[in-house]
Amino acid sequence: MNEIICPHCKKTFQVDESGFADILKQVRDDQFEQEIHKRLQLAENEKASAVLLAEEKTKSELRTEFVKLQKELAELKSAKDSEIIKLQAKVDASETEKKLALNEAVNKLEKERDSLAGKLEHKETEAKLLESSLVTKYESELKSKEEMIAYYKDMKAKLSTKMVGETLELHCETEFNRLRATAFQNAYFEKDNDASSGSKGDYIYKESDQYGNEIISIMFEMKNEDDQTATKKKNEDFLKELDKDRNQKSCEYAVLVSLLEADNELYNTGIVDVSHKFKKMYVIRPQFFIPMITLLRNAALNSMQYKSELAVVKAQNIDVTNFESQLNDFRDSFGRNFRLASDKFKTAIDSIDKSINQLQKTKENLLRSEDNLRIANNKADELTVKKLTRDNPTMKAKFDELNT
């Protein structure tokens, strides 16, 4: 047992060895923590002092170095200014020669530019006039088509009573014969009576030009709602057979004129292209019978016209070749002048590079001038009539007219 005296009340306590050891441990731990705290505080104070000392030392060294650099910079600036004055005198001596060479090249380029700009402006004026005429023509044709559509819409409203007691075939034949003498003088439109293959269409339309070349051929099939009494069929039920008849009679297009599916808005709104199922096949209502023939016929005529124009263009290709040869001569002459100017620029630039790096801006300006000349030369090298008229049929046609 150990006796312990309380420092406050002066009383004596007795504790066993384990309790005494525990109290001793608490006292030691508390003293240890206090010692650590004191040492950490001292270390922190020493660290702050060292940082402040290092900062002061660094600032002092930087100030010294800055003053030294300022002095060296002033000396270098003075030397460079003196050297620049000397070199500027040399540059001024050769400036007149460079300006003369540059002005000569620029004047020649400006003349060529003005010439090309004049030609381009002339072509643009012609293109605008052509565009205006095409717009007027398109608007006129559009108005005509709209009037025709309005007419056939009115006719559609009347068909509900007019076609009672008439067959669809008779109606289409009557409509065609009404215009045959004026609009379809060279056309063949008759019933298909050849059933040797096991089936036949209703009507075949064919038309040829004045030389006997076939322009267009259409196989027509007419289907009336009244033909089906027990079950109602759909338009798609007849497409496969129509395609078969078209191929057996060697017709280019196939058209189903139908009154089936009267409530189907797909067929009531206009011409329905079913080429995704059978190539060059359409389904129409009776009021679009004549417009359908007209559209297909005009497309075929335009195709023949393009073929004829292509032959004419090929025949005139030799004129384009001669023009391009003259253009190449101009390009070669321009290239020689460019090379002379380029050599003078390079000589001047090399002289400046060897003299001083401070004249770098002057060198870069001269290089840019050379680059501009090279770009202009490259554009002139790449300029051909074929490139000018590529993807521009209007300009191509105008050049063709100039060459004829």
Side-chain angles (χ1 to χ4, degrees):
M1 299 297 288
N2 295 301
E3 292 183 354
I4 297 177
I5 298 173
C6 177
H8 299 289
C9 63
K10 306 301 182 180
K11 289 183 179 181
T12 302
F13 299 94
Q14 291 185 354
V15 293
D16 57 13
E17 292 184 357
S18 61
F20 183 78
D22 185 51
I23 293 172
L24 184 61
K25 181 178 180 299
Q26 291 180 18
V27 173
R28 288 177 178 174
D29 289 345
D30 183 59
Q31 290 178 348
F32 182 72
E33 289 292 335
Q34 292 178 2
E35 186 67 23
I36 289 176
H37 179 72
K38 289 180 180 179
R39 297 204 176 184
L40 286 175
Q41 187 65 36
L42 289 173
E44 189 68 26
N45 294 336
E46 290 177 358
K47 177 182 176 183
S49 299
V51 169
L52 290 174
L53 183 61
E55 288 180 352
E56 290 298 327
K57 183 178 180 181
T58 302
K59 288 180 180 179
S60 177
E61 291 177 352
L62 288 175
R63 289 193 192 96
T64 304
E65 186 69 19
F66 179 73
V67 172
K68 182 179 179 182
L69 289 175
Q70 279 187 326
K71 183 178 179 181
E72 292 179 356
L73 182 61
E75 293 176 354
L76 287 173
K77 183 177 179 181
S78 176
K80 291 299 180 181
D81 288 342
S82 176
E83 190 173 0
I84 287 173
I85 293 173
K86 294 180 181 178
L87 291 173
Q88 187 63 45
K90 295 181 180 179
V91 171
D92 292 340
S94 61
E95 188 68 23
T96 302
E97 182 181 355
K98 288 185 291 183
K99 286 183 177 179
L100 290 175
L102 179 61
N103 288 335
E104 181 181 356
V106 169
N107 289 335
K108 189 170 184 64
L109 283 174
E110 288 178 347
K111 290 180 180 179
E112 300 297 339
R113 179 201 62 193
D114 294 340
S115 176
L116 291 174
K119 292 180 180 178
L120 181 59
E121 183 178 359
H122 178 68
K123 296 301 179 184
E124 288 178 348
T125 303
E126 292 182 349
K128 289 180 180 179
L129 292 174
L130 180 60
E131 181 181 0
S132 177
S133 64
L134 289 175
V135 170
T136 303
K137 180 180 178 183
Y138 171 76
E139 291 177 347
S140 176
E141 291 180 354
L142 181 61
K143 183 178 179 182
S144 176
K145 298 299 181 184
E146 289 176 347
E147 292 176 352
M148 185 180 295
I149 290 173
Y151 167 76
Y152 283 107
K153 283 183 177 179
D154 180 66
M155 186 185 72
K156 175 184 177 182
K158 297 177 181 178
L159 283 178
S160 58
T161 56
K162 179 181 178 181
M163 293 186 64
V164 174
E166 295 183 359
T167 65
L168 182 57
E169 294 181 7
L170 179 60
H171 166 74
C172 293
E173 186 174 357
T174 301
E175 290 297 313
F176 184 85
N177 289 332
R178 185 180 298 170
L179 299 173
R180 184 193 290 268
T182 55
F184 305 104
Q185 297 178 0
N186 299 323
Y188 168 89
F189 181 74
E190 301 293 342
K191 286 186 67 65
D192 181 17
N193 296 318
D194 183 9
S196 59
S197 60
S199 64
K200 62 183 182 65
D202 288 331
Y203 283 87
I204 294 177
Y205 172 89
K206 290 187 177 182
E207 187 171 356
S208 302
D209 62 11
Q210 57 183 342
Y211 303 106
N213 300 316
E214 183 177 287
I215 300 173
I216 187 174
S217 59
I218 308 172
M219 170 66 73
F220 283 100
E221 181 76 17
M222 285 73 170
K223 290 298 175 183
N224 194 331
E225 187 74 32
D226 295 336
D227 293 339
Q228 306 297 330
T229 56
T231 59
K232 300 295 182 180
K233 291 190 176 182
K234 296 183 178 181
N235 291 316
E236 292 185 358
D237 298 337
F238 302 95
L239 298 183
K240 184 176 181 180
E241 188 68 20
L242 176 57
D243 185 61
K244 175 183 175 183
D245 295 337
R246 178 259 300 272
N247 291 326
Q248 289 176 347
K249 303 302 168 60
S250 301
C251 292
E252 182 178 2
Y253 294 94
V255 178
L256 175 63
V257 185
S258 172
L259 285 173
L260 305 180
E261 300 183 69
D263 297 331
N264 193 327
E265 289 301 320
L266 174 64
Y267 301 109
N268 291 336
T269 54
I271 298 171
V272 179
D273 186 353
V274 292
S275 299
H276 59 283
K277 295 184 177 180
F278 302 96
K279 68 175 184 178
K280 296 186 177 182
M281 184 177 291
Y282 303 89
V283 179
I284 62 173
R285 294 304 189 194
Q287 61 267 28
F288 296 104
F289 173 66
I290 296 299
M292 186 77 250
I293 296 177
T294 304
L295 289 174
L296 295 179
R297 177 194 187 198
N298 289 342
L301 289 173
N302 289 336
S303 178
M304 294 191 66
Q305 180 181 357
Y306 292 146
K307 291 178 182 179
S308 300
E309 291 177 354
L310 180 60
V312 173
V313 170
K314 289 181 179 179
Q316 294 176 345
N317 189 49
I318 186 171
D319 295 330
V320 176
T321 303
N322 292 336
F323 181 81
E324 188 172 2
S325 176
Q326 295 176 359
L327 192 63
N328 289 333
D329 292 340
F330 157 74
R331 192 167 56 230
D332 294 339
S333 176
F334 181 84
R336 286 193 296 271
N337 292 330
F338 164 75
R339 285 190 293 273
L340 291 174
S342 178
D343 291 341
K344 292 182 179 181
F345 281 127
K346 288 182 178 179
T347 301
I349 291 169
D350 291 341
S351 175
I352 292 174
D353 285 340
K354 293 177 181 179
S355 301
I356 184 172
N357 292 330
Q358 291 294 329
L359 295 177
Q360 187 66 29
K361 291 184 179 180
T362 304
K363 172 186 172 182
E364 291 175 356
N365 290 333
L366 291 173
L367 286 173
R368 289 194 187 99
S369 299
E370 181 186 1
D371 290 339
N372 291 332
L373 288 173
R374 184 170 62 254
I375 291 171
N377 184 63
N378 292 338
K379 289 183 177 179
D381 288 341
E382 296 172 356
L383 182 64
T384 63
V385 172
K386 291 182 178 179
K387 289 184 177 181
L388 285 174
T389 59
R390 181 182 299 167
D391 298 329
N392 192 334
T394 301
M395 295 300 296
K396 187 174 186 304
K398 291 300 179 181
F399 271 107
D400 292 340
E401 291 177 5
L402 292 175
N403 293 329
T404 56

